[in-house]
Amino acid sequence: MKYFEDIQVGETFELGRHTFTADEIKAFAQRFDPQPFHVDEAAATQSHFGALAASGWHTASIWMRLMVEYRRRMAEAARARGEPVAGVGPALGFRDMKWLKPVYVDDTIEYMSEVIELRPSDSRPTQGLMTVRSTGVNQHGALVFSFVSTTLVERRPDVP
Amino acid sequence: MKYFEDIQVGETFELGRHTFTADEIKAFAQRFDPQPFHVDEAAATQSHFGALAASGWHTASIWMRLMVEYRRRMAEAARARGEPVAGVGPALGFRDMKWLKPVYVDDTIEYMSEVIELRPSDSRPTQGLMTVRSTGVNQHGALVFSFVSTTLVERRPDVP
């Protein structure tokens, strides 16, 4: 991650895409969300979804993985350029998570995060608070997933 | 689930407990949140957590499983009494998710949901909107996890 001072409101992070297979939808749901419409194709056709759909927590967990991998790529690229890598703290929480449309078998979701607010931390002088809106859009261009989260990002050591 | 009219604000659902083993913390994180402090004990001791800690998405996904199992037990008990079982719609989303303290290896988290708001749905006359605050408390009595979610619950068919 870049230092807090080097991030702009409006900046976007392109996290990448993920295709949800039937096997993986069912494997996640069997462990964490065993509702019929997440684990059983036949039952799902009788549900409000009309077909097997991924658990919302699965959609969210894939966002997390892509974000971790994105940060890792950015850190490696910075190191390759001989630049320092700013530390990123844990998420302080999030809000307004919405599952706007179902994620069906073989849907490909493109994940993105946009910086919507930046402010210094009152209690932690070496860190700033970065708030992003993260979204997932399917292969038809429909928004399926959205939430807002705030994370601590390291400030430039050379800024007073 | 009971019908919308039979639920009271302040009512609580005791969802049960879950103990997070090291193996399961690492297995979840390897798939969905491969940050060092979630997958590697040695790296975790050097992190802000100080020891291996569960991904917040893992803590949340276990809540979902316990909620599904709770609803299933309630439905079975109602059927055993010869009572009808009200349908529960999908979650419309949630807000204010907070991971307040780390969940460490072998911590046991007790999950609960409390009804904080009930209101009829304007657009769906056969359903009401139930808002609950869900929490996870560890074996030391500390709140580790909290969020608010809204779900559609079927209304009594005999209420005009």
Side-chain angles (χ1 to χ4, degrees):
Chain A
M1 186 54 73
K2 296 189 282 190
Y3 285 112
F4 179 72
E5 284 80 1
D6 299 328
I7 301 169
Q8 310 283 330
V9 169
E11 191 168 340
T12 56
F13 311 135
E14 311 285 342
L15 304 183
R17 290 174 193 185
H18 183 81
T19 300
F20 288 76
T21 67
D23 282 353
E24 123 183 74
I25 287 173
K26 289 188 274 188
F28 184 97
Q30 276 152 8
R31 272 195 78 88
F32 298 113
D33 195 353
Q35 302 186 75
F37 39 77
H38 295 322
V39 294
D40 180 331
E41 276 94 345
T45 63
Q46 305 302 314
S47 75
H48 52 275
F49 289 127
L52 193 74
S55 167
W57 302 94
H58 188 183
T59 318
S61 294
I62 293 291
W63 172 86
M64 186 73 233
R65 186 172 84 205
L66 293 177
M67 178 55 98
V68 171
E69 291 171 352
Y70 174 86
R71 286 183 189 162
R72 202 162 282 170
R73 286 196 303 276
M74 293 299 111
E76 282 164 12
R79 280 190 211 99
R81 292 190 304 264
E83 295 172 6
V85 177
V88 184
L92 300 178
F94 56 82
R95 55 190 163 91
D96 300 334
M97 180 159 291
K98 289 173 186 154
W99 294 297
L100 298 144
K101 285 188 186 294
V103 172
Y104 292 116
V105 172
D106 294 334
D107 275 1
T108 296
I109 308 303
E110 180 153 12
Y111 291 88
M112 199 191 76
S113 297
E114 180 179 0
V115 179
I116 59 172
E117 192 188 356
L118 290 164
R119 62 187 177 83
S121 165
D122 293 332
S123 57
R124 308 184 197 220
T126 63
Q127 293 176 303
L129 294 159
M130 174 179 72
T131 299
V132 302
R133 176 175 290 115
S134 296
T135 52
V137 171
N138 70 16
Q139 68 276 17
H140 309 297
L143 185 66
V144 299
F145 169 70
S146 167
F147 75 103
V148 172
S149 58
T150 299
T151 308
L152 288 164
V153 180
E154 193 183 349
R155 304 191 67 162
R156 291 189 81 93
D158 56 342
V159 172
Chain B
M1 187 54 74
K2 296 189 281 190
Y3 286 112
F4 179 72
E5 284 79 4
D6 299 327
I7 302 169
Q8 311 283 331
V9 169
E11 190 168 340
T12 56
F13 310 135
E14 311 285 342
L15 304 184
R17 292 175 190 184
H18 183 81
T19 300
F20 288 76
T21 67
D23 282 353
E24 126 184 69
I25 287 173
K26 289 189 273 188
F28 184 96
Q30 275 153 8
R31 273 195 76 87
F32 298 113
D33 195 353
Q35 302 186 75
F37 39 77
H38 296 321
V39 294
D40 181 330
E41 275 96 344
T45 62
Q46 304 302 312
S47 75
H48 51 277
F49 289 128
L52 193 73
S55 167
W57 303 95
H58 189 184
T59 318
S61 294
I62 293 291
W63 171 86
M64 185 72 234
R65 187 172 83 205
L66 293 178
M67 178 55 97
V68 171
E69 291 170 354
Y70 174 85
R71 287 184 189 161
R72 202 162 283 169
R73 285 196 303 276
M74 292 301 111
E76 282 164 12
R79 279 189 211 99
R81 292 191 304 265
E83 295 171 7
V85 177
V88 184
L92 299 178
F94 56 82
R95 55 191 162 89
D96 300 335
M97 179 158 291
K98 289 173 186 155
W99 294 297
L100 298 145
K101 286 188 185 295
V103 172
Y104 292 116
V105 172
D106 294 334
D107 276 1
T108 296
I109 307 304
E110 181 153 13
Y111 291 89
M112 199 191 76
S113 296
E114 180 179 0
V115 180
I116 59 172
E117 193 190 355
L118 291 164
R119 62 186 178 82
S121 166
D122 293 332
S123 56
R124 308 183 197 221
T126 62
Q127 293 176 302
L129 295 159
M130 174 178 72
T131 298
V132 301
R133 175 175 291 115
S134 296
T135 52
V137 171
N138 70 17
Q139 69 277 18
H140 309 297
L143 184 67
V144 299
F145 168 71
S146 167
F147 75 102
V148 173
S149 57
T150 300
T151 309
L152 289 163
V153 179
E154 192 182 350
R155 304 190 68 162
R156 291 190 81 93
D158 55 343
V159 173

